[in-house]
Amino acid sequence: AQSVAQPEDQVNVAEGNPLTVKCTYSVSGNPYLFWYVQYPNRGLQFLLKYITGDNLVKGSYGFEAEFNKSQTSFHLKKPSALVSDSALYFCAVRDPYSPDRDDKIIFGKGTRLHILP
Amino acid sequence: DAGVTQSPTHLIKTRGQHVTLRCSPISGHKSVSWYQQVLGQGPQFIFQYYEKEERGRGNFPDRFSARQFPNYSSELNVNALLLGDSALYLCASSLRTSGATYNEQFFGPGTRLTVL
């Protein structure tokens, strides 16, 4: 069964430092991978996706993620963190060979990112 | 353009009651999905509707049902509410174009349901 793991419940980073939020996945074949961000009392906002092509994907707000097939990882990164980046981040995966032909995506449990001023 | 809208924003019910949540997708989007997000967890897929037909169902009991209307808006219904149904219910819409390309889902702000 497809799944995604976010091993860190919380990540603390000083403002201006680079940040990484980790994600590993388990799915047969080539996965579709996503990162979403959730601010307090808000819905999920799409950050970026990997479907195929270049392993380094650039997304919104200066975020990027690197797809690593051998390590089954899709870590989210940003070169210089802002206090406004503090939020809850979700990694998600979709099985492209889903027999149900639906758009269901499986989310990780989330990583809370704290950017310290 | 307006994003995905959901109503109501907050709802308080008691055990055994019934609830209806509503979602309007982004204009032009024909696919609507529902997710349940329990506090401290990631969203879990409940249903997907495309062109008014159910295209996917998650591991939820039959107390949960949904439908999609001709204007592509959708309702999620939950009967015989339990305390464990307390959660943020998220609606997402996508373009769902034909072919192999996957179109990302855009989420609404959610409906916070509290069951007492």
Side-chain angles (χ1 to χ4, degrees), chain B residues 17-109:
Chain B
Q17 284 189 311
H18 162 271
V19 68
T20 298
L21 311 180
R22 295 177 176 84
C23 171
S24 292
I26 292 172
S27 177
H29 286 193
K30 298 181 179 180
S31 175
V32 171
S33 298
W34 287 95
Y35 290 79
Q36 180 196 65
Q37 185 180 11
V38 174
L39 196 63
Q41 300 293 323
Q44 280 196 294
F45 175 79
I46 309 175
F47 286 111
Q48 184 204 352
Y49 277 77
Y50 175 64
E51 290 284 14
K52 300 178 286 296
E53 292 185 1
E54 183 181 300
R55 292 301 181 97
R57 173 185 283 257
N59 188 23
F60 280 81
D62 292 342
R63 299 185 295 107
F64 288 76
S65 63
R67 55 178 176 168
Q68 187 176 34
F69 298 98
N71 66 355
Y72 303 109
S73 66
S74 177
E75 281 183 356
L76 174 69
N77 295 285
V78 186
N79 292 324
L81 285 167
L82 303 174
L83 295 179
D85 295 331
S86 295
L88 181 67
Y89 288 85
L90 297 165
C91 173
S93 74
S94 67
L95 207 50
R96 213 31 167 86
T97 53
S98 60
T101 302
Y102 178 83
N103 301 106
E104 61 266 26
Q105 297 182 34
F106 294 89
F107 285 79

Side-chain angles (χ1 to χ4, degrees), chain A residues 10-11 18 20 76 79-80 94 96 112 115 117:
Chain A
Q10 183 170 308
V11 171
T20 299
L76 181 71
S80 179
R94 178 182 180 265
R112 189 162 297 281
I115 307 302

Side-chain angles (χ1 to χ4, degrees), chain A residues 32 34 36 38 41-46 49 51 88 90 94 100-110, chain B residues 31 33 35 37 40-43 45 48 55-57 88 90 94 96 100 102 104-109:
Chain A
Y32 294 179
F34 310 87
Y36 283 85
Q38 187 174 39
N41 301 315
R42 301 272 297 273
L44 296 172
Q45 294 181 32
F46 172 79
K49 67 181 178 185
I51 304 289
L88 187 57
F90 290 97
R94 178 182 180 265
D100 296 326
R101 298 178 59 202
D102 57 39
D103 290 340
K104 175 178 64 179
I105 52 177
I106 306 298
F107 285 87
K109 62 178 175 59
Chain B
S31 175
S33 298
Y35 290 79
Q37 185 180 11
Q41 300 293 323
F45 175 79
Q48 184 204 352
R55 292 301 181 97
R57 173 185 283 257
L88 181 67
L90 297 165
S94 67
R96 213 31 167 86
Y102 178 83
E104 61 266 26
Q105 297 182 34
F106 294 89
F107 285 79

